[in-house]
């Protein structure tokens, strides 16, 4: 189940949510296809937002930050 979708641009999109087992899922759209990204926390994320292509935030039971290269727990 997808909980939130955010597009930084027409070729940079993100989806967060969870799978059938309740494990967190994070997907990234690169303009051509959706690819699964490693979730840096245990559990699912419920919301995602970006202030720029190199500054993104997602929340669930924890908060994670995107620095343009990788997600990390905050």
């Amino acid at each position: 189940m997808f909980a939130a979708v955010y597009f930084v641009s027409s070729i940079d999109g993100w989806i967060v949510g969870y799978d059938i087992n309740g494990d967190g899922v994070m997907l990234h759209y690169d303009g051509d296809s959706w690819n699964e990204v490693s979730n840096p926390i245990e559990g699912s994320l419920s919301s995602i937002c970006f202030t720029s292509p190199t500054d993104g935030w997602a929340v669930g039971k924890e908060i994670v930050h995107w620095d343009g290269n990788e997600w990390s727990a905050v």
Side-chain angles (χ1 to χ4, degrees), residues 13-74:
W14 295 87
I15 293 176
V16 295
Y18 55 92
D19 64 16
I20 194 166
N21 298 317
D23 297 324
V25 173
M26 182 179 282
L27 302 174
H28 179 246
Y29 180 72
D30 62 9
D32 291 319
S33 61
W34 289 98
N35 300 292
E36 190 164 357
V37 176
S38 178
N39 184 353
I41 62 168
E42 283 193 35
S44 63
L45 296 164
S46 57
S47 185
I48 189 167
C49 185
F50 283 77
T51 61
S52 75
T54 60
D55 187 34
W57 299 88
V59 297
K61 291 184 179 181
E62 296 181 53
I63 300 171
V64 295
H65 179 252
W66 173 253
D67 65 7
N69 294 308
E70 65 182 353
W71 288 96
S72 58
V74 177

